[in-house]
Amino acid sequence: MSRDTAGMAVRGDRITIVSQEDSAMWIGTFDFEALEFTDEGRVFNFPRDNHCDIMYCNVEGVQWLDDVRFVVTSDKAKSSQSYRCVAQEQKVHIFALPQGA
């Protein structure tokens, strides 16, 4: 996941980065003294529809609420985007990490 980075947030030693184009979020650990990531991190896709198509097309920002929940904002769908994108446009979304993540 590295395309169209749209937001980043820090909580303790954990960093999360969201990608609009991938409709995904990467979470990794960072050592602030060594200024380096300490793991490869993990990618979490935002929910998909029944055909595994992207529904959260315009993720713009992310912020941790606590150790397992985060809030994400979404931008207005572009006229060239699929109708699937309209249902989740211009909203604030709250998600939780899967258990054990």
Side-chain angles (χ1 to χ4, degrees), residues 1 5-19 24-30 32 37 42-44 46 59 61-66 69-72 97:
M1 186 197 89
T5 301
M8 182 177 91
V10 177
R11 182 169 180 86
D13 65 349
R14 292 168 66 184
I15 292 181
T16 183
I17 299 171
V18 292
S19 166
M25 180 176 73
W26 176 87
I27 299 174
T29 4
F30 193 77
F32 286 93
F37 287 99
R42 188 167 168 194
V43 175
F44 298 91
F46 288 104
V59 174
V62 62
Q63 182 60 47
W64 290 96
L65 294 174
D66 55 32
R69 294 180 309 145
F70 52 95
V71 61
V72 174
L97 294 172

PDB file of all heavy atoms in Angstrom, residues 1 5-19 24-30 32 37 42-44 46 59 61-66 69-72 97:
ATOM      1  N   MET A   1       0.845  -1.172   0.000  1.00  0.00           N
ATOM      2  CA  MET A   1       0.000   0.000   0.000  1.00  0.00           C
ATOM      3  C   MET A   1       0.893   1.238   0.000  1.00  0.00           C
ATOM      4  O   MET A   1       1.614   1.470   0.947  1.00  0.00           O
ATOM      5  CB  MET A   1      -0.884  -0.009   1.245  1.00  0.00           C
ATOM      6  CG  MET A   1      -1.882   1.117   1.239  1.00  0.00           C
ATOM      7  SD  MET A   1      -2.608   1.447   2.838  1.00  0.00           S
ATOM      8  CE  MET A   1      -1.435   2.608   3.462  1.00  0.00           C
ATOM      9  N   THR A   5      -1.357   8.564  -0.618  1.00  0.00           N
ATOM     10  CA  THR A   5      -1.425   8.710   0.829  1.00  0.00           C
ATOM     11  C   THR A   5      -2.299   9.916   1.164  1.00  0.00           C
ATOM     12  O   THR A   5      -2.104  11.002   0.645  1.00  0.00           O
ATOM     13  CB  THR A   5      -0.019   8.895   1.419  1.00  0.00           C
ATOM     14  OG1 THR A   5       0.756   7.753   1.073  1.00  0.00           O
ATOM     15  CG2 THR A   5      -0.065   9.049   2.909  1.00  0.00           C
ATOM     16  N   ALA A   6      -3.286   9.699   2.049  1.00  0.00           N
ATOM     17  CA  ALA A   6      -4.278  10.737   2.299  1.00  0.00           C
ATOM     18  C   ALA A   6      -4.370  11.164   3.762  1.00  0.00           C
ATOM     19  O   ALA A   6      -5.145  12.044   4.086  1.00  0.00           O
ATOM     20  CB  ALA A   6      -5.642  10.258   1.818  1.00  0.00           C
ATOM     21  N   GLY A   7      -3.614  10.522   4.638  1.00  0.00           N
ATOM     22  CA  GLY A   7      -3.663  10.915   6.035  1.00  0.00           C
ATOM     23  C   GLY A   7      -2.736  10.060   6.869  1.00  0.00           C
ATOM     24  O   GLY A   7      -2.398   8.937   6.487  1.00  0.00           O
ATOM     25  N   MET A   8      -2.332  10.603   8.018  1.00  0.00           N
ATOM     26  CA  MET A   8      -1.445   9.888   8.923  1.00  0.00           C
ATOM     27  C   MET A   8      -1.779  10.295  10.348  1.00  0.00           C
ATOM     28  O   MET A   8      -2.130  11.447  10.609  1.00  0.00           O
ATOM     29  CB  MET A   8       0.013  10.224   8.616  1.00  0.00           C
ATOM     30  CG  MET A   8       0.987   9.475   9.479  1.00  0.00           C
ATOM     31  SD  MET A   8       2.702   9.830   9.030  1.00  0.00           S
ATOM     32  CE  MET A   8       3.008  11.215  10.114  1.00  0.00           C
ATOM     33  N   ALA A   9      -1.664   9.336  11.276  1.00  0.00           N
ATOM     34  CA  ALA A   9      -1.895   9.621  12.691  1.00  0.00           C
ATOM     35  C   ALA A   9      -0.940   8.781  13.533  1.00  0.00           C
ATOM     36  O   ALA A   9      -0.532   7.696  13.122  1.00  0.00           O
ATOM     37  CB  ALA A   9      -3.341   9.313  13.072  1.00  0.00           C
ATOM     38  N   VAL A  10      -0.607   9.305  14.709  1.00  0.00           N
ATOM     39  CA  VAL A  10       0.316   8.634  15.621  1.00  0.00           C
ATOM     40  C   VAL A  10      -0.387   8.409  16.951  1.00  0.00           C
ATOM     41  O   VAL A  10      -1.082   9.289  17.453  1.00  0.00           O
ATOM     42  CB  VAL A  10       1.580   9.498  15.842  1.00  0.00           C
ATOM     43  CG1 VAL A  10       2.513   8.850  16.844  1.00  0.00           C
ATOM     44  CG2 VAL A  10       2.282   9.760  14.525  1.00  0.00           C
ATOM     45  N   ARG A  11      -0.199   7.225  17.513  1.00  0.00           N
ATOM     46  CA  ARG A  11      -0.677   6.925  18.871  1.00  0.00           C
ATOM     47  C   ARG A  11       0.409   6.101  19.551  1.00  0.00           C
ATOM     48  O   ARG A  11       0.632   4.952  19.191  1.00  0.00           O
ATOM     49  CB  ARG A  11      -1.999   6.171  18.854  1.00  0.00           C
ATOM     50  CG  ARG A  11      -2.514   5.910  20.275  1.00  0.00           C
ATOM     51  CD  ARG A  11      -3.947   5.412  20.249  1.00  0.00           C
ATOM     52  NE  ARG A  11      -4.445   5.152  21.565  1.00  0.00           N
ATOM     53  CZ  ARG A  11      -5.009   6.047  22.376  1.00  0.00           C
ATOM     54  NH1 ARG A  11      -5.129   7.298  21.981  1.00  0.00           N
ATOM     55  NH2 ARG A  11      -5.442   5.704  23.562  1.00  0.00           N
ATOM     56  N   GLY A  12       1.068   6.709  20.508  1.00  0.00           N
ATOM     57  CA  GLY A  12       2.198   6.032  21.155  1.00  0.00           C
ATOM     58  C   GLY A  12       3.286   5.766  20.127  1.00  0.00           C
ATOM     59  O   GLY A  12       3.747   6.679  19.454  1.00  0.00           O
ATOM     60  N   ASP A  13       3.659   4.495  19.980  1.00  0.00           N
ATOM     61  CA  ASP A  13       4.675   4.137  18.989  1.00  0.00           C
ATOM     62  C   ASP A  13       4.051   3.585  17.701  1.00  0.00           C
ATOM     63  O   ASP A  13       4.751   3.083  16.833  1.00  0.00           O
ATOM     64  CB  ASP A  13       5.674   3.128  19.562  1.00  0.00           C
ATOM     65  CG  ASP A  13       5.048   1.779  19.898  1.00  0.00           C
ATOM     66  OD1 ASP A  13       3.794   1.664  19.881  1.00  0.00           O
ATOM     67  OD2 ASP A  13       5.803   0.834  20.177  1.00  0.00           O
ATOM     68  N   ARG A  14       2.731   3.702  17.589  1.00  0.00           N
ATOM     69  CA  ARG A  14       2.046   3.185  16.397  1.00  0.00           C
ATOM     70  C   ARG A  14       1.710   4.327  15.442  1.00  0.00           C
ATOM     71  O   ARG A  14       1.226   5.376  15.850  1.00  0.00           O
ATOM     72  CB  ARG A  14       0.768   2.451  16.801  1.00  0.00           C
ATOM     73  CG  ARG A  14       1.078   1.176  17.559  1.00  0.00           C
ATOM     74  CD  ARG A  14      -0.126   0.588  18.211  1.00  0.00           C
ATOM     75  NE  ARG A  14      -1.099   0.127  17.238  1.00  0.00           N
ATOM     76  CZ  ARG A  14      -2.276  -0.363  17.560  1.00  0.00           C
ATOM     77  NH1 ARG A  14      -2.637  -0.446  18.811  1.00  0.00           N
ATOM     78  NH2 ARG A  14      -3.108  -0.754  16.638  1.00  0.00           N
ATOM     79  N   ILE A  15       1.961   4.085  14.176  1.00  0.00           N
ATOM     80  CA  ILE A  15       1.647   5.053  13.131  1.00  0.00           C
ATOM     81  C   ILE A  15       0.675   4.397  12.163  1.00  0.00           C
ATOM     82  O   ILE A  15       0.836   3.228  11.796  1.00  0.00           O
ATOM     83  CB  ILE A  15       2.921   5.506  12.385  1.00  0.00           C
ATOM     84  CG1 ILE A  15       3.799   6.318  13.334  1.00  0.00           C
ATOM     85  CG2 ILE A  15       2.567   6.324  11.149  1.00  0.00           C
ATOM     86  CD1 ILE A  15       5.065   6.852  12.713  1.00  0.00           C
ATOM     87  N   THR A  16      -0.326   5.141  11.766  1.00  0.00           N
ATOM     88  CA  THR A  16      -1.245   4.655  10.746  1.00  0.00           C
ATOM     89  C   THR A  16      -1.246   5.634   9.580  1.00  0.00           C
ATOM     90  O   THR A  16      -1.178   6.844   9.769  1.00  0.00           O
ATOM     91  CB  THR A  16      -2.675   4.458  11.306  1.00  0.00           C
ATOM     92  OG1 THR A  16      -3.490   3.919  10.282  1.00  0.00           O
ATOM     93  CG2 THR A  16      -3.279   5.737  11.795  1.00  0.00           C
ATOM     94  N   ILE A  17      -1.290   5.077   8.389  1.00  0.00           N
ATOM     95  CA  ILE A  17      -1.331   5.863   7.160  1.00  0.00           C
ATOM     96  C   ILE A  17      -2.474   5.328   6.314  1.00  0.00           C
ATOM     97  O   ILE A  17      -2.599   4.105   6.150  1.00  0.00           O
ATOM     98  CB  ILE A  17       0.000   5.757   6.381  1.00  0.00           C
ATOM     99  CG1 ILE A  17       1.158   6.293   7.229  1.00  0.00           C
ATOM    100  CG2 ILE A  17      -0.095   6.492   5.048  1.00  0.00           C
ATOM    101  CD1 ILE A  17       2.528   6.038   6.653  1.00  0.00           C
ATOM    102  N   VAL A  18      -3.324   6.217   5.795  1.00  0.00           N
ATOM    103  CA  VAL A  18      -4.418   5.772   4.933  1.00  0.00           C
ATOM    104  C   VAL A  18      -4.112   6.121   3.477  1.00  0.00           C
ATOM    105  O   VAL A  18      -3.472   7.118   3.184  1.00  0.00           O
ATOM    106  CB  VAL A  18      -5.791   6.370   5.344  1.00  0.00           C
ATOM    107  CG1 VAL A  18      -6.235   5.806   6.681  1.00  0.00           C
ATOM    108  CG2 VAL A  18      -5.770   7.876   5.372  1.00  0.00           C
ATOM    109  N   SER A  19      -4.595   5.251   2.605  1.00  0.00           N
ATOM    110  CA  SER A  19      -4.447   5.442   1.169  1.00  0.00           C
ATOM    111  C   SER A  19      -5.828   5.547   0.549  1.00  0.00           C
ATOM    112  O   SER A  19      -6.651   4.639   0.691  1.00  0.00           O
ATOM    113  CB  SER A  19      -3.701   4.264   0.544  1.00  0.00           C
ATOM    114  OG  SER A  19      -3.832   4.279  -0.856  1.00  0.00           O
ATOM    115  N   ALA A  24      -7.364   1.671   1.932  1.00  0.00           N
ATOM    116  CA  ALA A  24      -6.724   0.816   2.921  1.00  0.00           C
ATOM    117  C   ALA A  24      -5.981   1.667   3.940  1.00  0.00           C
ATOM    118  O   ALA A  24      -5.738   2.860   3.728  1.00  0.00           O
ATOM    119  CB  ALA A  24      -5.760  -0.143   2.239  1.00  0.00           C
ATOM    120  N   MET A  25      -5.623   1.009   5.041  1.00  0.00           N
ATOM    121  CA  MET A  25      -4.896   1.661   6.112  1.00  0.00           C
ATOM    122  C   MET A  25      -3.730   0.770   6.516  1.00  0.00           C
ATOM    123  O   MET A  25      -3.899  -0.438   6.693  1.00  0.00           O
ATOM    124  CB  MET A  25      -5.822   1.890   7.311  1.00  0.00           C
ATOM    125  CG  MET A  25      -5.163   2.564   8.470  1.00  0.00           C
ATOM    126  SD  MET A  25      -6.313   2.911   9.811  1.00  0.00           S
ATOM    127  CE  MET A  25      -6.573   1.276  10.454  1.00  0.00           C
ATOM    128  N   TRP A  26      -2.555   1.358   6.653  1.00  0.00           N
ATOM    129  CA  TRP A  26      -1.365   0.639   7.101  1.00  0.00           C
ATOM    130  C   TRP A  26      -1.075   1.065   8.523  1.00  0.00           C
ATOM    131  O   TRP A  26      -1.153   2.254   8.859  1.00  0.00           O
ATOM    132  CB  TRP A  26      -0.185   0.987   6.198  1.00  0.00           C
ATOM    133  CG  TRP A  26       1.108   0.372   6.619  1.00  0.00           C
ATOM    134  CD1 TRP A  26       1.577  -0.861   6.270  1.00  0.00           C
ATOM    135  CD2 TRP A  26       2.107   0.964   7.470  1.00  0.00           C
ATOM    136  NE1 TRP A  26       2.806  -1.071   6.847  1.00  0.00           N
ATOM    137  CE2 TRP A  26       3.149   0.035   7.587  1.00  0.00           C
ATOM    138  CE3 TRP A  26       2.211   2.182   8.131  1.00  0.00           C
ATOM    139  CZ2 TRP A  26       4.285   0.274   8.343  1.00  0.00           C
ATOM    140  CZ3 TRP A  26       3.336   2.433   8.890  1.00  0.00           C
ATOM    141  CH2 TRP A  26       4.368   1.487   8.985  1.00  0.00           C
ATOM    142  N   ILE A  27      -0.747   0.094   9.381  1.00  0.00           N
ATOM    143  CA  ILE A  27      -0.364   0.387  10.763  1.00  0.00           C
ATOM    144  C   ILE A  27       0.976  -0.286  11.031  1.00  0.00           C
ATOM    145  O   ILE A  27       1.150  -1.478  10.771  1.00  0.00           O
ATOM    146  CB  ILE A  27      -1.404  -0.121  11.777  1.00  0.00           C
ATOM    147  CG1 ILE A  27      -2.752   0.557  11.537  1.00  0.00           C
ATOM    148  CG2 ILE A  27      -0.926   0.115  13.204  1.00  0.00           C
ATOM    149  CD1 ILE A  27      -3.864   0.018  12.401  1.00  0.00           C
ATOM    150  N   GLY A  28       1.904   0.496  11.542  1.00  0.00           N
ATOM    151  CA  GLY A  28       3.220  -0.033  11.901  1.00  0.00           C
ATOM    152  C   GLY A  28       3.717   0.609  13.171  1.00  0.00           C
ATOM    153  O   GLY A  28       3.119   1.555  13.687  1.00  0.00           O
ATOM    154  N   THR A  29       4.835   0.092  13.685  1.00  0.00           N
ATOM    155  CA  THR A  29       5.439   0.644  14.892  1.00  0.00           C
ATOM    156  C   THR A  29       6.699   1.416  14.537  1.00  0.00           C
ATOM    157  O   THR A  29       7.433   1.029  13.639  1.00  0.00           O
ATOM    158  CB  THR A  29       5.805  -0.455  15.896  1.00  0.00           C
ATOM    159  OG1 THR A  29       5.557  -1.726  15.370  1.00  0.00           O
ATOM    160  CG2 THR A  29       5.066  -0.344  17.164  1.00  0.00           C
ATOM    161  N   PHE A  30       6.896   2.500  15.262  1.00  0.00           N
ATOM    162  CA  PHE A  30       7.996   3.404  14.961  1.00  0.00           C
ATOM    163  C   PHE A  30       8.807   3.681  16.219  1.00  0.00           C
ATOM    164  O   PHE A  30       8.249   3.920  17.290  1.00  0.00           O
ATOM    165  CB  PHE A  30       7.445   4.727  14.413  1.00  0.00           C
ATOM    166  CG  PHE A  30       8.472   5.615  13.797  1.00  0.00           C
ATOM    167  CD1 PHE A  30       8.965   5.347  12.531  1.00  0.00           C
ATOM    168  CD2 PHE A  30       8.943   6.729  14.474  1.00  0.00           C
ATOM    169  CE1 PHE A  30       9.920   6.174  11.951  1.00  0.00           C
ATOM    170  CE2 PHE A  30       9.892   7.556  13.902  1.00  0.00           C
ATOM    171  CZ  PHE A  30      10.390   7.279  12.637  1.00  0.00           C
ATOM    172  N   PHE A  32      10.946   6.280  17.839  1.00  0.00           N
ATOM    173  CA  PHE A  32      11.188   7.709  17.683  1.00  0.00           C
ATOM    174  C   PHE A  32      12.610   8.117  18.054  1.00  0.00           C
ATOM    175  O   PHE A  32      13.084   9.165  17.639  1.00  0.00           O
ATOM    176  CB  PHE A  32      10.156   8.520  18.475  1.00  0.00           C
ATOM    177  CG  PHE A  32       8.806   8.514  17.829  1.00  0.00           C
ATOM    178  CD1 PHE A  32       7.852   7.577  18.187  1.00  0.00           C
ATOM    179  CD2 PHE A  32       8.494   9.427  16.840  1.00  0.00           C
ATOM    180  CE1 PHE A  32       6.607   7.554  17.583  1.00  0.00           C
ATOM    181  CE2 PHE A  32       7.255   9.419  16.224  1.00  0.00           C
ATOM    182  CZ  PHE A  32       6.315   8.474  16.600  1.00  0.00           C
ATOM    183  N   PHE A  37      11.162   2.565  11.449  1.00  0.00           N
ATOM    184  CA  PHE A  37      10.082   1.617  11.717  1.00  0.00           C
ATOM    185  C   PHE A  37      10.683   0.341  12.277  1.00  0.00           C
ATOM    186  O   PHE A  37      11.760  -0.089  11.853  1.00  0.00           O
ATOM    187  CB  PHE A  37       9.276   1.340  10.448  1.00  0.00           C
ATOM    188  CG  PHE A  37       8.401   2.503  10.057  1.00  0.00           C
ATOM    189  CD1 PHE A  37       8.798   3.391   9.077  1.00  0.00           C
ATOM    190  CD2 PHE A  37       7.187   2.715  10.693  1.00  0.00           C
ATOM    191  CE1 PHE A  37       8.007   4.475   8.727  1.00  0.00           C
ATOM    192  CE2 PHE A  37       6.381   3.794  10.362  1.00  0.00           C
ATOM    193  CZ  PHE A  37       6.801   4.672   9.380  1.00  0.00           C
ATOM    194  N   ARG A  42       1.183  -3.660   9.008  1.00  0.00           N
ATOM    195  CA  ARG A  42       0.082  -4.498   8.521  1.00  0.00           C
ATOM    196  C   ARG A  42      -0.917  -3.618   7.791  1.00  0.00           C
ATOM    197  O   ARG A  42      -1.194  -2.495   8.217  1.00  0.00           O
ATOM    198  CB  ARG A  42      -0.574  -5.174   9.716  1.00  0.00           C
ATOM    199  CG  ARG A  42      -1.588  -6.198   9.357  1.00  0.00           C
ATOM    200  CD  ARG A  42      -1.948  -7.037  10.557  1.00  0.00           C
ATOM    201  NE  ARG A  42      -3.132  -7.824  10.260  1.00  0.00           N
ATOM    202  CZ  ARG A  42      -3.851  -8.445  11.151  1.00  0.00           C
ATOM    203  NH1 ARG A  42      -3.510  -8.399  12.416  1.00  0.00           N
ATOM    204  NH2 ARG A  42      -4.911  -9.128  10.804  1.00  0.00           N
ATOM    205  N   VAL A  43      -1.471  -4.131   6.691  1.00  0.00           N
ATOM    206  CA  VAL A  43      -2.443  -3.396   5.890  1.00  0.00           C
ATOM    207  C   VAL A  43      -3.847  -3.912   6.195  1.00  0.00           C
ATOM    208  O   VAL A  43      -4.078  -5.125   6.228  1.00  0.00           O
ATOM    209  CB  VAL A  43      -2.150  -3.522   4.381  1.00  0.00           C
ATOM    210  CG1 VAL A  43      -3.245  -2.858   3.559  1.00  0.00           C
ATOM    211  CG2 VAL A  43      -0.791  -2.919   4.054  1.00  0.00           C
ATOM    212  N   PHE A  44      -4.763  -2.983   6.411  1.00  0.00           N
ATOM    213  CA  PHE A  44      -6.175  -3.300   6.629  1.00  0.00           C
ATOM    214  C   PHE A  44      -6.979  -2.598   5.540  1.00  0.00           C
ATOM    215  O   PHE A  44      -6.855  -1.383   5.370  1.00  0.00           O
ATOM    216  CB  PHE A  44      -6.648  -2.799   8.002  1.00  0.00           C
ATOM    217  CG  PHE A  44      -5.921  -3.433   9.143  1.00  0.00           C
ATOM    218  CD1 PHE A  44      -4.767  -2.854   9.657  1.00  0.00           C
ATOM    219  CD2 PHE A  44      -6.389  -4.607   9.711  1.00  0.00           C
ATOM    220  CE1 PHE A  44      -4.083  -3.429  10.713  1.00  0.00           C
ATOM    221  CE2 PHE A  44      -5.711  -5.196  10.768  1.00  0.00           C
ATOM    222  CZ  PHE A  44      -4.553  -4.608  11.269  1.00  0.00           C
ATOM    223  N   PHE A  46     -10.390  -1.072   3.997  1.00  0.00           N
ATOM    224  CA  PHE A  46     -11.681  -0.607   4.458  1.00  0.00           C
ATOM    225  C   PHE A  46     -12.737  -1.535   3.881  1.00  0.00           C
ATOM    226  O   PHE A  46     -12.495  -2.220   2.872  1.00  0.00           O
ATOM    227  CB  PHE A  46     -11.915   0.852   4.033  1.00  0.00           C
ATOM    228  CG  PHE A  46     -11.066   1.802   4.825  1.00  0.00           C
ATOM    229  CD1 PHE A  46      -9.933   2.376   4.275  1.00  0.00           C
ATOM    230  CD2 PHE A  46     -11.389   2.099   6.144  1.00  0.00           C
ATOM    231  CE1 PHE A  46      -9.135   3.226   5.021  1.00  0.00           C
ATOM    232  CE2 PHE A  46     -10.592   2.949   6.899  1.00  0.00           C
ATOM    233  CZ  PHE A  46      -9.465   3.512   6.334  1.00  0.00           C
ATOM    234  N   VAL A  59     -11.197   8.262   1.105  1.00  0.00           N
ATOM    235  CA  VAL A  59     -10.692   8.429   2.464  1.00  0.00           C
ATOM    236  C   VAL A  59      -9.669   9.550   2.467  1.00  0.00           C
ATOM    237  O   VAL A  59      -8.760   9.573   1.645  1.00  0.00           O
ATOM    238  CB  VAL A  59     -10.053   7.110   2.959  1.00  0.00           C
ATOM    239  CG1 VAL A  59      -9.396   7.304   4.304  1.00  0.00           C
ATOM    240  CG2 VAL A  59     -11.092   6.008   3.023  1.00  0.00           C
ATOM    241  N   GLY A  61      -8.628  11.449   5.744  1.00  0.00           N
ATOM    242  CA  GLY A  61      -7.899  11.680   6.987  1.00  0.00           C
ATOM    243  C   GLY A  61      -8.164  10.564   7.975  1.00  0.00           C
ATOM    244  O   GLY A  61      -9.127   9.813   7.834  1.00  0.00           O
ATOM    245  N   VAL A  62      -7.301  10.452   8.969  1.00  0.00           N
ATOM    246  CA  VAL A  62      -7.444   9.415   9.987  1.00  0.00           C
ATOM    247  C   VAL A  62      -6.947   9.961  11.319  1.00  0.00           C
ATOM    248  O   VAL A  62      -6.032  10.789  11.357  1.00  0.00           O
ATOM    249  CB  VAL A  62      -6.665   8.135   9.599  1.00  0.00           C
ATOM    250  CG1 VAL A  62      -5.174   8.413   9.493  1.00  0.00           C
ATOM    251  CG2 VAL A  62      -6.945   6.996  10.567  1.00  0.00           C
ATOM    252  N   GLN A  63      -7.583   9.519  12.401  1.00  0.00           N
ATOM    253  CA  GLN A  63      -7.119   9.871  13.742  1.00  0.00           C
ATOM    254  C   GLN A  63      -7.510   8.742  14.691  1.00  0.00           C
ATOM    255  O   GLN A  63      -8.630   8.218  14.615  1.00  0.00           O
ATOM    256  CB  GLN A  63      -7.750  11.188  14.219  1.00  0.00           C
ATOM    257  CG  GLN A  63      -7.273  11.637  15.568  1.00  0.00           C
ATOM    258  CD  GLN A  63      -5.773  11.864  15.619  1.00  0.00           C
ATOM    259  OE1 GLN A  63      -5.196  12.503  14.761  1.00  0.00           O
ATOM    260  NE2 GLN A  63      -5.124  11.325  16.621  1.00  0.00           N
ATOM    261  N   TRP A  64      -6.582   8.361  15.559  1.00  0.00           N
ATOM    262  CA  TRP A  64      -6.873   7.345  16.570  1.00  0.00           C
ATOM    263  C   TRP A  64      -7.866   7.901  17.596  1.00  0.00           C
ATOM    264  O   TRP A  64      -7.748   9.051  18.001  1.00  0.00           O
ATOM    265  CB  TRP A  64      -5.600   6.946  17.307  1.00  0.00           C
ATOM    266  CG  TRP A  64      -4.625   6.166  16.482  1.00  0.00           C
ATOM    267  CD1 TRP A  64      -3.550   6.659  15.803  1.00  0.00           C
ATOM    268  CD2 TRP A  64      -4.637   4.766  16.266  1.00  0.00           C
ATOM    269  NE1 TRP A  64      -2.891   5.641  15.167  1.00  0.00           N
ATOM    270  CE2 TRP A  64      -3.533   4.462  15.435  1.00  0.00           C
ATOM    271  CE3 TRP A  64      -5.469   3.734  16.683  1.00  0.00           C
ATOM    272  CZ2 TRP A  64      -3.242   3.175  15.019  1.00  0.00           C
ATOM    273  CZ3 TRP A  64      -5.177   2.443  16.269  1.00  0.00           C
ATOM    274  CH2 TRP A  64      -4.087   2.165  15.458  1.00  0.00           C
ATOM    275  N   LEU A  65      -8.828   7.087  18.016  1.00  0.00           N
ATOM    276  CA  LEU A  65      -9.726   7.438  19.125  1.00  0.00           C
ATOM    277  C   LEU A  65      -9.239   6.789  20.410  1.00  0.00           C
ATOM    278  O   LEU A  65      -9.356   7.355  21.493  1.00  0.00           O
ATOM    279  CB  LEU A  65     -11.154   6.990  18.829  1.00  0.00           C
ATOM    280  CG  LEU A  65     -11.831   7.701  17.663  1.00  0.00           C
ATOM    281  CD1 LEU A  65     -13.180   7.060  17.372  1.00  0.00           C
ATOM    282  CD2 LEU A  65     -11.991   9.177  17.963  1.00  0.00           C
ATOM    283  N   ASP A  66      -8.731   5.564  20.299  1.00  0.00           N
ATOM    284  CA  ASP A  66      -8.125   4.832  21.404  1.00  0.00           C
ATOM    285  C   ASP A  66      -7.215   3.773  20.772  1.00  0.00           C
ATOM    286  O   ASP A  66      -6.890   3.889  19.589  1.00  0.00           O
ATOM    287  CB  ASP A  66      -9.181   4.248  22.361  1.00  0.00           C
ATOM    288  CG  ASP A  66     -10.208   3.356  21.670  1.00  0.00           C
ATOM    289  OD1 ASP A  66      -9.862   2.678  20.670  1.00  0.00           O
ATOM    290  OD2 ASP A  66     -11.363   3.322  22.128  1.00  0.00           O
ATOM    291  N   ARG A  69      -9.763   1.825  18.101  1.00  0.00           N
ATOM    292  CA  ARG A  69     -10.727   2.536  17.254  1.00  0.00           C
ATOM    293  C   ARG A  69     -10.102   3.772  16.635  1.00  0.00           C
ATOM    294  O   ARG A  69      -9.236   4.410  17.227  1.00  0.00           O
ATOM    295  CB  ARG A  69     -11.953   2.954  18.062  1.00  0.00           C
ATOM    296  CG  ARG A  69     -12.778   1.805  18.574  1.00  0.00           C
ATOM    297  CD  ARG A  69     -13.972   2.265  19.374  1.00  0.00           C
ATOM    298  NE  ARG A  69     -13.554   3.219  20.407  1.00  0.00           N
ATOM    299  CZ  ARG A  69     -14.284   4.258  20.807  1.00  0.00           C
ATOM    300  NH1 ARG A  69     -15.466   4.484  20.283  1.00  0.00           N
ATOM    301  NH2 ARG A  69     -13.843   5.070  21.739  1.00  0.00           N
ATOM    302  N   PHE A  70     -10.582   4.103  15.447  1.00  0.00           N
ATOM    303  CA  PHE A  70     -10.091   5.292  14.753  1.00  0.00           C
ATOM    304  C   PHE A  70     -11.220   5.902  13.951  1.00  0.00           C
ATOM    305  O   PHE A  70     -12.213   5.252  13.627  1.00  0.00           O
ATOM    306  CB  PHE A  70      -8.888   4.965  13.861  1.00  0.00           C
ATOM    307  CG  PHE A  70      -9.125   3.816  12.922  1.00  0.00           C
ATOM    308  CD1 PHE A  70      -9.539   4.038  11.623  1.00  0.00           C
ATOM    309  CD2 PHE A  70      -8.938   2.511  13.335  1.00  0.00           C
ATOM    310  CE1 PHE A  70      -9.779   2.988  10.754  1.00  0.00           C
ATOM    311  CE2 PHE A  70      -9.171   1.448  12.464  1.00  0.00           C
ATOM    312  CZ  PHE A  70      -9.586   1.695  11.177  1.00  0.00           C
ATOM    313  N   VAL A  71     -11.069   7.183  13.665  1.00  0.00           N
ATOM    314  CA  VAL A  71     -12.056   7.918  12.889  1.00  0.00           C
ATOM    315  C   VAL A  71     -11.419   8.287  11.553  1.00  0.00           C
ATOM    316  O   VAL A  71     -10.239   8.615  11.494  1.00  0.00           O
ATOM    317  CB  VAL A  71     -12.567   9.161  13.654  1.00  0.00           C
ATOM    318  CG1 VAL A  71     -11.444  10.119  13.953  1.00  0.00           C
ATOM    319  CG2 VAL A  71     -13.674   9.864  12.911  1.00  0.00           C
ATOM    320  N   VAL A  72     -12.209   8.179  10.499  1.00  0.00           N
ATOM    321  CA  VAL A  72     -11.752   8.468   9.139  1.00  0.00           C
ATOM    322  C   VAL A  72     -12.760   9.404   8.498  1.00  0.00           C
ATOM    323  O   VAL A  72     -13.967   9.269   8.699  1.00  0.00           O
ATOM    324  CB  VAL A  72     -11.654   7.159   8.313  1.00  0.00           C
ATOM    325  CG1 VAL A  72     -11.326   7.444   6.874  1.00  0.00           C
ATOM    326  CG2 VAL A  72     -10.630   6.222   8.915  1.00  0.00           C
ATOM    327  N   LEU A  97     -10.274  -1.917  14.876  1.00  0.00           N
ATOM    328  CA  LEU A  97      -9.395  -2.947  14.340  1.00  0.00           C
ATOM    329  C   LEU A  97      -9.975  -4.318  14.646  1.00  0.00           C
ATOM    330  O   LEU A  97     -10.647  -4.496  15.672  1.00  0.00           O
ATOM    331  CB  LEU A  97      -7.996  -2.834  14.967  1.00  0.00           C
ATOM    332  CG  LEU A  97      -7.215  -1.577  14.614  1.00  0.00           C
ATOM    333  CD1 LEU A  97      -5.945  -1.508  15.460  1.00  0.00           C
ATOM    334  CD2 LEU A  97      -6.880  -1.560  13.130  1.00  0.00           C
TER     335      LEU A  97
END
